[in-house]
Amino acid sequence: MAARDILIIPDKRLRLKSEPVKAIDKSLRALIDDMFETMYAAPGIGLAAIQIGVPKRVIIMDLAKKDEPKQPQVFINAEVIWASEDKATYEEGCLSIPEYYEEVTRPKTVKVRFFDTDLKPQEIEAEGLLATCLQHEIDHINGVLFIDHISKLKRDMVMKKFKKAAKKTDGAKPLSEDQEPSHHIG
Ligand SMILES: [Zn+2]
């Protein structure tokens, strides 16, 4: 297992539509292990495989609070099959857009179909943080970022800032050490 580098905008790979997983083999299990290591190290509460440069429809999550035991969850080939008309607004952040937080309005409740690590089909109805996180991560495997849900003005400002930072550091991560990571959804 090894923590891997997380792609940061404006990396174009974050805009790829990820491919469905067809089999759970050794390399996929290794990918999932690396994803957990990367997410816990960041730290974040969710991660999509494309965020470490692998365009496969794999999402991991752990919504446990600091003092709770770990609750690792894996969602393979996840898709939203129903969304409520009711909306909810939460402040979101993203490991691929470090240190930027903005309120995003999404459906309050969603039904999600996915496969577990035995490739058995599962369905869940989610609300609250789980609903937000699932929608955020499913966006990732479709090449969508949370900043696509905010105003164009704000999005342009963020993109500009990160493009400038990428140029200055030649692609290195523009992270500071005293960042407050608790809102990083993934
Ligand atoms: Zn994200």
Side-chain angles (χ1 to χ4, degrees), residues 151-162:
S151 73
K152 188 179 181 302
L153 183 73
K154 284 179 181 167
R155 182 166 61 251
D156 287 349
M157 275 167 61
V158 183
M159 287 307 294
K160 205 170 148 188
K161 185 183 148 204
F162 277 88

Side-chain angles (χ1 to χ4, degrees), residues 46-48 51 93-97 136-137 140 144-146 185-186:
L47 190 76
Q51 291 181 276
C94 180
L95 294 171
S96 296
I97 314 171
H136 179 116
E137 301 305 337
H140 271 306
V144 176
L145 299 168
F146 88 90
I185 286 186

Side-chain angles (χ1 to χ4, degrees), residues 79-170:
E79 53 176 334
V80 174
I81 54 168
W82 175 84
S84 66
E85 279 179 26
D86 281 2
K87 309 282 186 202
T89 302
Y90 289 101
E91 188 178 66
E92 294 188 26
C94 180
L95 294 171
S96 296
I97 314 171
E99 295 178 74
Y100 181 74
Y101 308 97
E102 193 54 66
E103 288 193 333
V104 178
T105 300
R106 301 181 184 269
K108 189 177 178 207
T109 313
V110 287
K111 273 188 193 154
V112 171
R113 185 180 293 153
F114 65 99
F115 292 85
D116 63 22
T117 49
D118 295 318
L119 271 195
K120 282 205 188 99
Q122 306 282 350
E123 225 175 271
I124 47 164
E125 189 169 318
E127 56 175 29
L129 182 59
L130 179 60
T132 296
C133 206
L134 276 168
Q135 291 177 82
H136 179 116
E137 301 305 337
I138 291 171
D139 271 357
H140 271 306
I141 60 177
N142 291 321
V144 176
L145 299 168
F146 88 90
I147 51 172
D148 298 343
H149 298 288
I150 65 177
S151 73
K152 188 179 181 302
L153 183 73
K154 284 179 181 167
R155 182 166 61 251
D156 287 349
M157 275 167 61
V158 183
M159 287 307 294
K160 205 170 148 188
K161 185 183 148 204
F162 277 88
K163 274 180 188 160
K164 214 168 142 189
K167 216 177 264 174
K168 206 184 286 174
T169 56
D170 201 30

